[in-house]
Amino acid sequence: MATQHPLHRLFKPQHVALLGVSRDTDKAGYKFLRALLDAGFSGQISLLGRQAGELEGHTIHTDAKDQPADIDVAFNLLGPAQTLAVLEAAAARGAAFAVVFTAGFAEMGEEGARLQADMVRACNAHGMRIVGPNCMGLFNLPWGLNLTEITPLPAGKVAFVSQSGNVAVTLWDQARKHDLGFSCFVGFGNQADIPMHEYIDYLGQDDDTRVIAIYLEGLRPGSGDRFFEICSRVSRIKPIVVLKGGRASAGRRAAESHTASLSSAERVYCALFEEAGIVEVTQMEHLLPVAEALMRCPPMTGDDVAIVGSGGGHSTVCTDEVESVGLKVPEFPVELVDRLSGLLPSWAPKKNPVDMTGAFINDPSLFSSLTELVMTMCPSLDAAVNYGLYGLWKEGRLGKDSPHDYVSAAPLLGALQAKLGKPIVFYTPYADRSHPSFTAMRESGVPCFDSIASIGVALAALRQRGRFLARAGEPLPRRAEPARPTVADAASRDYATEVGAYALLAGYDVKLPVVLTADSPEAAAEASERIGYPAVVKAILPGVAHKSDLGGVRTGLGDARAVQDAARGISASVAQAPGAHTLQGFTVTRDLGRRRELIVGVRRDVSLVSLGIVGLGGVLAEALDDVAVVLLPATPARVARALARLTSARAWGEFRGEPAVPPGPLADLLNQLNAALCSDPAIESVECNPVMIVGRDLIPVDAAIALNDKEPT
Amino acid sequence: MATQHPLHRLFKPQHVALLGVSRDTDKAGYKFLRALLDAGFSGQISLLGRQAGELEGHTIHTDAKDQPADIDVAFNLLGPAQTLAVLEAAAARGAAFAVVFTAGFAEMGEEGARLQADMVRACNAHGMRIVGPNCMGLFNLPWGLNLTEITPLPAGKVAFVSQSGNVAVTLWDQARKHDLGFSCFVGFGNQADIPMHEYIDYLGQDDDTRVIAIYLEGLRPGSGDRFFEICSRVSRIKPIVVLKGGRASAGRRAAESHTASLSSAERVYCALFEEAGIVEVTQMEHLLPVAEALMRCPPMTGDDVAIVGSGGGHSTVCTDEVESVGLKVPEFPVELVDRLSGLLPSWAPKKNPVDMTGAFINDPSLFSSLTELVMTMCPSLDAAVNYGLYGLWKEGRLGKDSPHDYVSAAPLLGALQAKLGKPIVFYTPYADRSHPSFTAMRESGVPCFDSIASIGVALAALRQRGRFLARAGEPLPRRAEPARPTVADAASRDYATEVGAYALLAGYDVKLPVVLTADSPEAAAEASERIGYPAVVKAILPGVAHKSDLGGVRTGLGDARAVQDAARGISASVAQAPGAHTLQGFTVTRDLGRRRELIVGVRRDVSLVSLGIVGLGGVLAEALDDVAVVLLPATPARVARALARLTSARAWGEFRGEPAVPPGPLADLLNQLNAALCSDPAIESVECNPVMIVGRDLIPVDAAIALNDKEPT
């Protein structure tokens, strides 16, 4: 017998207890029972309530200690004050899981957080694990299990894991527009005990689930590495799509007061999602269209899209949308345009997009036959978009001689998609209401969307999935055990200056430029004579992040006299600058001239042990704030993907005669910086800005270490 | 009597002729008549068809010459081959306007373009003007005029001007979701004769129109300056919103084959729209929500938004959406949070966003009362968002003691908006279907949206309108008469090198750095002794755009020997570079060091006489492609707005101790470059890259002139 998943009894319980039932049919304490019965639950049901007796044929216990011993899932509706004692009693009698609907825990502040921690500790001590608290409930419709108050629910193949209940209610309502339904749902709320990735792990092996959708406000602190491992594995088997709430500053405040989520920065999630093969959407309205496309369509293995439909404006806007997500609408070859000319009126555009104008009125199967012609004659195309006033234009009336009606024409598109192994997606403005032709199209495998924006996000998702599956064989790099902190050395370290930072990095094999120090302008000139020209002189200023703002950096110095003058000038500038600064001397290095400059760094994070960053460096780095996260350990492939996420991506490829930024050495540098970071728990971050690109070498020409506020231990 | 608008007879005709009617009720030739009758047209109707007789009580003429003489609008359904002769006959008998539904003209290629030009010329000769061809028709519902084949149409206060028919059909269908309707519509298709801005001009003075929506693929070549003037005037009176189709490369190809539109680059339209006070949306699904908000709500005069509603996930996602469009959701002061604490459960978040949790079930007027409290206690807030499972949650059932139902609570929000003079917008996922409470809310003035994304785009539009109205008193700078081309001089000009470009610019008062030329490395060293160090030496290479790619630029040179060596090095590099290049000597200038670098230029355009560009300059300019268009003549305000449109906007304000880029001198530079451009019709563009920012001075340190392929005349 195969081993059961650790959450098996949660999703497929034989025995459910409802704690806090009521005879009042308007109250939640009744509605949850009603929903469970409506779902057709065939296992045992135990009830706990204030008044003894029976409810819908089930005995109401009034004392938690009277409950049966073999409860799989105890669903808790009681107030926060009663919850701990009742759940502990259930746990003591062997209940495996509690789903805590009740709010009033960590999302309320310190007192609630203490109550939450006590509850988890008490229940875990008896081996019971907790979903929530402050959550919407859970369902597994194929199992006849519904632990939410909503009934009936649309059944189908989408699993939804949500930190928010009202987002879930919204999706259950909107799913009808997509002819979609749900297999399983978990509201994980404050995720006090079971972290979100365990649900993903379960759903990965659930045969009734074909795609997993997530609404996430924040991972549990420290759970990012495990989340990444599990999702990387599951997304190789089935698609995952996520909406991340709390992306900007006030949004993060909203998430914190909603589900007590302390969130990493958006770009950390962005890297985690891309690397784990999770498709991210940024609008709630995109979650279902993307889930639909990922569920129904094959992935896209290239960037080229054919657009075939009816209506010039829709055609133009569809093309804009496809291009706006980074895909291409290539012009068709002449032979194909000629073939189309034989089939369509002379005034119909045919170069891609193809506009059949009103011709579909006399045969709606033109959508599939023209699409088949186009995709067959251009095998390099990777997907097709169909669009038009389909289905309900003129109340669905077609020409008298049409060989098809809309309902019979629709499945031809699904059959074509299956034959081609390439996605086809459809847009019609009427798809916001139900119609048998739209349902027939969707059931045959072709998503039918009511917005052109959905076409863009759906194709982008299918392309991202195609890219991910193409590299799914890439081995997952293992994070090395963190180096044992060499705290003994740490006491003697100088973290406050560039010179000290260089000294630390040198111990971790980072290739550094020759840097000489000098305690006077004369000594600086002597140093530059040894190093050569043009030279750079910088002030040594402990704790100053931007030396150049104080006049502490002079570049392009052509001879010894210029160096000496520059060092004197620096002394004068620093002395005149506002604030008290201790000038501890000068560094002298070669000036590498004007080059592309990167910022490269590593830092600790609330979700991950540590992470790398790469981005646009130099004087504009802060203004442009164009930085991407690299998961550690860095690999050339991870670095290349991070560089591609940057707005400035084009600057890091081959560019005006300079070679592409080499991802291998950049990965090495990140891993070396990470080793330095891990050598001392007091270090919060290590950052090199700028790192200059000289051929295939990456040369840090400044470095800084920031400390966290924890005492080194 | 007030002067009638030149398009008065088009929109308010007394006499309409339908050319090409049919007795077959399935055919367009009948449907248009039906639609006109259904609309309640009270004027005279004349018909032209193949078979004589009567149709719906109106005589069918079979010969165009038999038509009455006082036709205001002739609506043409005939095929392209017959159109010219019939329209010319109508024009000869005094018809004022023709609306040409017929396709098969310029959108088909050269032959169609000739036919179109002939038609316009023939009709114009008799004083008749043409709408279209290749257009959807026209309506003015308050006048009882419908010249489209769709009936009935939703009547209301939105005017729609569209280059596409199927986009119009889509909006007419979707308007029911917003309880919106239309006053006037014009499909302008190929805009062979009447340019789009004339319709805008008419609708600006139409009392039945409160907001103007536009779908545009391209302005008529050369009409941009006039379009700008008219829209700037109209948008001071009523809001205008536009969706621009054909934004990317294949999208532009689609537009060209759809309506023969030759389009300027997206960023030209972006500048035109912002400067004219037109709100641009980038998705078709945003056109109606934004039109609705602009029509119903007052503008936003600041950036701060209060969010008050029900449901944690919606709350987080709403906040993300508001922040993603650049607005703020500031944390509330303690006093307000305390007041809210007395009104809401302890677990309800109250800091902004405010989540009333399920409390509205017992009183849906909580939305308005809490919003009023918040907006009154924080008068610095500029708008409010309400959100939640409103209206149809649990089939609209509320608590027994609720003082309001959803329908009676809804107008309280409209009254509050009117009292505050600040916009309120609402989101509920159920708003995609009709419900009396949503209608009541909208009729009271508060938009009720079915997507959270609509909240973001609507508020962004209201903020943009607020900003525009705040500067509506700013005088419109008049474009100076183009300087008379000084072609006589032009023959002796050198456009191929930086030295030649500098010589031209010097004649138009551009402040230039000292540039010495040298014909040998030794002469370069002598020149640098006069100019000072560090120095830059550049190759003079006629026609080479990127000298540095050939090794033709050396910077940071510290003494005469370094300059001489650099010049020798340049000679060697250029000699070794692939391709044949003529090294015509060297320029020597001072090295201004590492500074912020702009690109500043002017060029001719298909829509505008000329335009300016500003953007991120230097070595990364091409990779980052961050450039904004400035309308000419440049003014400091126009320049400041263009800089704010850049991704790199933050880099051009005060930044790390450097002053903000001065918009005044930047405007002067653009106007000087434009004078140089206009001095010779052979010049296509003048570009300075980089322009270095030295205090309040802008110093071009390179310049290039590109020629168009027209022969100088």
Side-chain angles (χ1 to χ4, degrees):
Chain A
M1 201 183 105
T3 326
Q4 279 181 342
H5 191 276
L7 299 186
H8 178 84
R9 288 176 69 189
L10 174 66
F11 282 95
K12 296 190 169 173
Q14 303 289 346
H15 186 169
V16 169
L18 297 183
L19 313 179
V21 293
S22 162
R23 286 171 198 286
D24 183 341
T25 56
D26 274 350
K27 291 224 164 132
Y30 178 82
K31 285 185 183 160
F32 277 92
L33 175 59
R34 184 74 265 152
L36 182 57
L37 294 171
D38 285 355
F41 183 63
S42 60
Q44 192 182 341
I45 298 177
S46 300
L47 305 179
L48 184 76
R50 261 186 265 178
Q51 295 173 302
E54 280 213 344
L55 192 59
E56 306 290 356
H58 299 276
T59 309
I60 303 179
H61 300 276
T62 55
D63 188 331
K65 298 197 185 67
D66 295 339
Q67 297 245 29
D70 57 348
I71 293 169
D72 295 306
V73 178
F75 186 84
N76 185 74
L77 286 147
L78 299 162
Q82 301 161 268
T83 296
L84 195 160
V86 171
L87 286 188
E88 192 173 13
R93 294 182 58 77
F97 291 94
V99 178
V100 185
F101 176 74
T102 314
F105 292 93
E107 82 282 5
M108 291 267 303
E110 267 182 45
E111 200 186 329
R114 262 197 305 276
L115 186 61
Q116 178 173 302
D118 290 348
M119 172 178 72
V120 171
R121 199 164 30 237
C123 295
N124 283 179
H126 296 288
M128 186 166 88
R129 305 195 64 201
I130 288 176
V131 179
N134 182 27
C135 80
M136 184 72 184
L138 177 147
F139 66 65
N140 181 0
L141 300 184
W143 191 253
L145 179 76
N146 182 5
L147 293 172
T148 77
E149 62 181 313
I150 311 294
T151 177
L153 289 158
K157 298 288 185 186
V158 182
F160 188 41
V161 180
S162 178
Q163 205 152 6
S164 158
N166 59 336
V167 171
V169 169
T170 304
L171 293 203
W172 301 335
D173 176 67
Q174 301 287 315
R176 71 185 162 78
K177 281 196 198 177
H178 299 265
D179 288 308
L180 282 182
F182 297 88
S183 53
C184 295
F185 164 75
V186 196
F188 59 94
N190 293 5
Q191 57 179 339
D193 182 10
I194 304 176
M196 198 262 270
H197 56 252
E198 293 196 33
Y199 306 118
I200 307 291
D201 189 53
Y202 177 83
L203 296 166
Q205 53 87 64
D206 175 48
D207 290 338
D208 295 312
T209 295
R210 284 181 54 198
V211 57
I212 301 168
I214 302 173
Y215 173 72
L216 173 70
E217 298 199 338
L219 292 175
R220 276 185 59 179
S223 73
D225 291 283
R226 189 77 186 119
F227 166 85
F228 171 72
E229 278 171 43
I230 284 175
C231 291
S232 300
R233 186 160 40 70
V234 170
S235 65
R236 280 165 168 77
I237 304 164
K238 57 186 82 173
I240 307 178
V241 52
V242 68
L243 172 67
K244 170 69 179 63
R247 286 181 291 134
S249 54
R252 249 183 263 174
R253 184 174 72 235
E256 202 179 334
S257 65
H258 174 219
T259 51
S261 295
L262 272 175
S263 185
S264 297
E266 181 55 14
R267 49 176 69 124
V268 178
Y269 283 101
C270 187
L272 268 176
F273 296 152
E274 182 178 1
E275 289 294 324
I278 299 172
V279 173
E280 184 179 9
V281 297
T282 57
Q283 294 185 0
M284 202 166 75
E285 290 76 21
H286 294 163
L287 204 43
L288 283 181
V290 167
E292 182 182 356
L294 290 170
M295 188 179 89
R296 303 200 205 272
C297 301
M300 249 181 106
T301 54
D303 291 341
D304 288 357
V305 180
I307 302 184
V308 177
S310 166
H314 287 163
S315 158
T316 302
V317 177
C318 275
T319 307
D320 283 344
E321 198 62 46
V322 169
E323 290 190 315
S324 80
V325 299
L327 298 174
K328 298 193 184 76
V329 185
E331 189 164 337
F332 288 156
V334 179
E335 312 83 68
L336 175 53
V337 175
D338 286 348
R339 276 293 293 280
L340 290 165
S341 298
L343 300 166
L344 292 174
S346 55
W347 61 84
K350 301 170 190 82
K351 288 183 179 173
N352 197 16
V354 177
D355 179 359
M356 67 181 78
T357 65
F360 70 96
I361 290 285
N362 294 317
D363 181 4
S365 73
L366 262 186
F367 283 99
S368 59
S369 59
L370 291 179
T371 304
E372 178 158 19
L373 174 67
V374 162
M375 299 298 282
T376 311
M377 282 191 67
C378 274
S380 64
L381 291 164
D382 305 294
V385 170
N386 288 160
Y387 68 91
L389 296 173
Y390 183 93
L392 285 165
W393 167 236
K394 302 184 174 179
E395 290 82 46
R397 272 180 286 131
L398 294 172
K400 290 183 204 104
D401 303 326
S402 173
H404 280 280
D405 60 17
Y406 286 122
V407 178
S408 70
L412 302 177
L413 284 170
L416 178 61
Q417 172 175 265
K419 180 173 150 188
L420 296 168
K422 295 173 180 179
I424 301 178
V425 293
F426 204 105
Y427 158 76
T428 166
Y430 305 113
D432 58 352
R433 62 220 81 164
S434 62
H435 190 265
S437 65
F438 308 149
T439 303
M441 195 186 295
R442 292 171 186 136
E443 285 178 350
S444 79
V446 171
C448 182
F449 296 127
D450 67 352
S451 86
I452 295 181
S454 295
I455 292 283
V457 291
L459 288 181
L462 292 169
R463 182 69 193 102
Q464 193 181 329
R465 180 132 188 94
R467 267 196 225 100
F468 174 71
L469 291 178
R471 63 178 162 86
E474 211 176 86
L476 271 191
R478 306 292 300 183
R479 188 184 276 273
E481 284 302 302
R484 183 180 292 273
T486 50
V487 182
D489 316 342
S492 65
R493 290 175 177 175
D494 159 26
Y495 291 147
T497 69
E498 183 184 346
V499 177
Y502 277 148
L504 174 65
L505 298 187
Y508 291 90
D509 303 325
V510 176
K511 282 180 206 157
L512 297 164
V514 177
V515 181
L516 298 183
T517 57
D519 55 11
S520 68
E522 296 72 23
E526 280 167 35
S528 66
E529 287 290 303
R530 275 184 283 153
I531 279 181
Y533 301 97
V536 179
V537 176
K538 293 195 250 183
I540 302 177
L541 287 166
V544 173
H546 294 308
K547 294 182 281 282
S548 54
D549 291 0
L550 304 181
V553 179
R554 307 278 165 116
T555 61
L557 306 169
D559 59 18
R561 198 190 58 200
V563 168
Q564 190 168 329
D565 291 350
R568 287 201 184 109
I570 287 173
S571 299
S573 298
V574 169
Q576 285 160 20
H581 303 286
T582 312
L583 182 64
Q584 289 193 341
F586 308 94
T587 61
V588 183
T589 49
R590 272 298 287 271
D591 189 338
L592 299 176
R594 288 170 191 142
R595 293 170 184 279
R596 288 177 295 174
E597 298 176 340
L598 286 170
I599 182 170
V600 182
V602 294
R603 64 173 173 78
R604 300 182 194 278
D605 180 74
V606 63
S607 300
L608 297 163
V609 173
S610 64
L611 52 81
I613 61 162
V614 295
L616 180 72
V619 68
L620 290 177
E622 285 175 38
L624 299 183
D625 191 28
D626 187 26
V627 163
V629 166
V630 185
L631 298 194
L632 298 174
T635 63
R638 285 176 165 183
V639 164
R641 286 191 289 269
L643 290 172
R645 283 195 291 275
L646 294 171
T647 307
S648 56
R650 273 185 59 199
W652 316 114
E654 258 189 83
F655 179 65
R656 294 188 52 178
E658 294 200 52
V661 172
L666 190 43
D668 293 343
L669 175 57
L670 283 162
N671 292 331
Q672 290 155 356
L673 297 180
N674 189 44
L677 175 82
C678 293
S679 73
D680 185 346
I683 302 179
E684 181 65 24
S685 69
V686 181
E687 190 177 288
C688 300
N689 180 24
V691 171
M692 293 226 176
I693 302 155
V694 184
R696 282 193 58 84
D697 289 328
L698 295 165
I699 303 182
V701 298
D702 207 339
I705 290 169
L707 301 181
N708 55 40
D709 40 21
K710 280 174 278 179
E711 285 293 302
T713 48
Chain B
M1 200 183 104
T3 327
Q4 280 183 340
H5 191 277
L7 299 187
H8 178 84
R9 288 176 71 190
L10 175 64
F11 282 95
K12 297 188 169 176
Q14 304 288 347
H15 186 168
V16 170
L18 297 182
L19 314 180
V21 294
S22 162
R23 287 172 198 285
D24 181 342
T25 57
D26 275 348
K27 292 221 164 137
Y30 179 81
K31 284 182 184 164
F32 277 92
L33 175 60
R34 183 75 266 153
L36 182 58
L37 295 171
D38 286 353
F41 183 64
S42 61
Q44 190 181 344
I45 299 177
S46 300
L47 306 180
L48 183 75
R50 258 186 266 178
Q51 295 173 299
E54 281 213 345
L55 192 58
E56 305 290 356
H58 300 274
T59 309
I60 303 179
H61 299 277
T62 54
D63 188 331
K65 301 198 182 67
D66 296 339
Q67 298 246 28
D70 57 351
I71 292 170
D72 295 305
V73 178
F75 186 83
N76 184 72
L77 286 147
L78 299 162
Q82 301 161 269
T83 296
L84 196 159
V86 171
L87 286 187
E88 191 173 13
R93 294 183 60 76
F97 292 94
V99 178
V100 184
F101 175 74
T102 313
F105 291 93
E107 82 281 7
M108 292 266 302
E110 267 182 46
E111 200 186 329
R114 260 197 306 277
L115 187 60
Q116 177 173 304
D118 290 348
M119 171 178 71
V120 170
R121 198 166 30 239
C123 294
N124 283 180
H126 296 286
M128 183 165 89
R129 303 195 64 202
I130 288 176
V131 179
N134 182 25
C135 81
M136 184 72 184
L138 176 147
F139 66 66
N140 181 1
L141 299 184
W143 192 253
L145 178 74
N146 182 6
L147 292 173
T148 76
E149 62 182 312
I150 311 293
T151 176
L153 288 160
K157 298 288 185 187
V158 183
F160 188 42
V161 180
S162 178
Q163 206 152 5
S164 158
N166 59 337
V167 170
V169 169
T170 303
L171 293 202
W172 301 335
D173 176 68
Q174 301 287 315
R176 71 183 162 81
K177 282 196 195 177
H178 300 266
D179 288 308
L180 283 181
F182 297 87
S183 53
C184 295
F185 164 75
V186 196
F188 59 94
N190 293 4
Q191 56 180 336
D193 182 10
I194 304 177
M196 200 262 270
H197 56 251
E198 292 196 34
Y199 306 118
I200 308 290
D201 190 54
Y202 176 84
L203 296 165
Q205 53 87 63
D206 176 48
D207 290 338
D208 295 310
T209 294
R210 286 182 50 200
V211 58
I212 301 168
I214 302 173
Y215 173 73
L216 173 68
E217 299 198 339
L219 294 174
R220 276 185 59 176
S223 73
D225 292 283
R226 189 76 186 120
F227 166 85
F228 171 74
E229 278 170 42
I230 285 176
C231 291
S232 300
R233 184 160 44 68
V234 171
S235 65
R236 280 164 169 77
I237 305 163
K238 56 186 82 172
I240 307 178
V241 52
V242 68
L243 171 67
K244 170 69 178 65
R247 287 181 290 134
S249 54
R252 246 181 268 172
R253 185 177 68 235
E256 202 180 332
S257 64
H258 174 217
T259 51
S261 295
L262 269 178
S263 184
S264 296
E266 181 57 14
R267 50 178 63 126
V268 177
Y269 283 101
C270 187
L272 268 176
F273 296 153
E274 182 177 359
E275 290 295 324
I278 299 171
V279 174
E280 183 179 10
V281 296
T282 56
Q283 293 184 1
M284 203 167 75
E285 290 75 24
H286 294 164
L287 204 44
L288 282 181
V290 166
E292 181 182 357
L294 290 169
M295 188 179 90
R296 302 200 204 272
C297 302
M300 247 181 110
T301 54
D303 291 341
D304 288 355
V305 179
I307 301 185
V308 178
S310 168
H314 286 164
S315 158
T316 303
V317 177
C318 274
T319 308
D320 283 343
E321 198 62 46
V322 169
E323 290 191 313
S324 80
V325 299
L327 300 173
K328 298 193 184 74
V329 184
E331 189 164 338
F332 288 156
V334 179
E335 314 83 68
L336 175 53
V337 175
D338 285 349
R339 276 291 292 282
L340 290 166
S341 297
L343 300 167
L344 291 176
S346 55
W347 61 84
K350 304 171 187 78
K351 290 181 177 174
N352 197 18
V354 177
D355 179 359
M356 67 180 78
T357 65
F360 70 96
I361 290 286
N362 294 315
D363 182 3
S365 74
L366 264 185
F367 283 100
S368 59
S369 59
L370 291 179
T371 303
E372 178 158 22
L373 175 67
V374 162
M375 298 299 284
T376 311
M377 283 190 67
C378 273
S380 63
L381 290 166
D382 305 293
V385 170
N386 288 163
Y387 69 91
L389 295 173
Y390 183 95
L392 284 167
W393 167 235
K394 301 182 176 181
E395 288 79 49
R397 272 179 286 132
L398 294 170
K400 292 184 199 99
D401 304 325
S402 173
H404 280 281
D405 60 18
Y406 286 122
V407 178
S408 71
L412 301 177
L413 284 171
L416 177 60
Q417 172 175 268
K419 182 171 148 190
L420 296 168
K422 295 175 180 179
I424 301 179
V425 292
F426 205 104
Y427 158 75
T428 167
Y430 305 113
D432 58 352
R433 63 218 84 167
S434 63
H435 189 263
S437 66
F438 308 147
T439 303
M441 195 184 295
R442 292 172 186 135
E443 285 178 350
S444 80
V446 171
C448 183
F449 295 127
D450 68 350
S451 87
I452 296 181
S454 295
I455 292 282
V457 292
L459 288 179
L462 291 168
R463 181 69 193 102
Q464 193 183 328
R465 178 128 189 96
R467 267 197 226 99
F468 174 72
L469 291 178
R471 64 178 163 84
E474 208 176 90
L476 270 192
R478 304 293 301 186
R479 186 185 279 272
E481 284 301 302
R484 184 181 292 273
T486 52
V487 182
D489 314 344
S492 64
R493 289 174 178 176
D494 159 26
Y495 291 147
T497 70
E498 183 184 344
V499 177
Y502 278 147
L504 174 67
L505 298 187
Y508 292 91
D509 303 325
V510 177
K511 284 182 206 154
L512 295 165
V514 177
V515 181
L516 298 184
T517 56
D519 55 10
S520 67
E522 295 72 23
E526 279 167 36
S528 66
E529 287 290 304
R530 276 184 282 156
I531 281 182
Y533 300 96
V536 179
V537 176
K538 295 194 250 183
I540 301 176
L541 287 166
V544 173
H546 295 306
K547 293 182 278 286
S548 53
D549 292 359
L550 304 181
V553 180
R554 307 278 164 116
T555 62
L557 306 169
D559 60 17
R561 200 193 52 199
V563 168
Q564 192 168 328
D565 290 351
R568 287 201 185 109
I570 285 172
S571 300
S573 297
V574 170
Q576 283 158 24
H581 304 288
T582 313
L583 182 64
Q584 290 193 341
F586 308 93
T587 62
V588 182
T589 49
R590 273 298 284 272
D591 189 337
L592 299 174
R594 288 171 191 142
R595 296 171 180 276
R596 289 177 294 173
E597 297 176 340
L598 285 170
I599 182 169
V600 182
V602 294
R603 63 174 174 76
R604 301 183 192 277
D605 181 73
V606 62
S607 299
L608 298 161
V609 173
S610 63
L611 51 83
I613 61 162
V614 296
L616 179 72
V619 68
L620 291 178
E622 285 177 36
L624 299 183
D625 191 29
D626 187 25
V627 163
V629 166
V630 184
L631 297 196
L632 297 174
T635 64
R638 285 178 165 183
V639 165
R641 287 191 287 271
L643 290 173
R645 283 195 291 274
L646 294 172
T647 308
S648 56
R650 275 184 58 200
W652 316 114
E654 257 189 85
F655 179 66
R656 295 190 50 181
E658 294 198 54
V661 171
L666 191 43
D668 292 343
L669 175 56
L670 283 163
N671 292 332
Q672 290 155 356
L673 297 182
N674 189 43
L677 177 81
C678 294
S679 73
D680 184 347
I683 302 179
E684 181 66 23
S685 68
V686 181
E687 188 177 288
C688 300
N689 181 23
V691 172
M692 294 228 179
I693 303 154
V694 184
R696 283 192 57 82
D697 288 328
L698 294 165
I699 303 183
V701 297
D702 207 339
I705 290 168
L707 301 182
N708 54 41
D709 41 20
K710 281 175 278 183
E711 285 294 303
T713 47

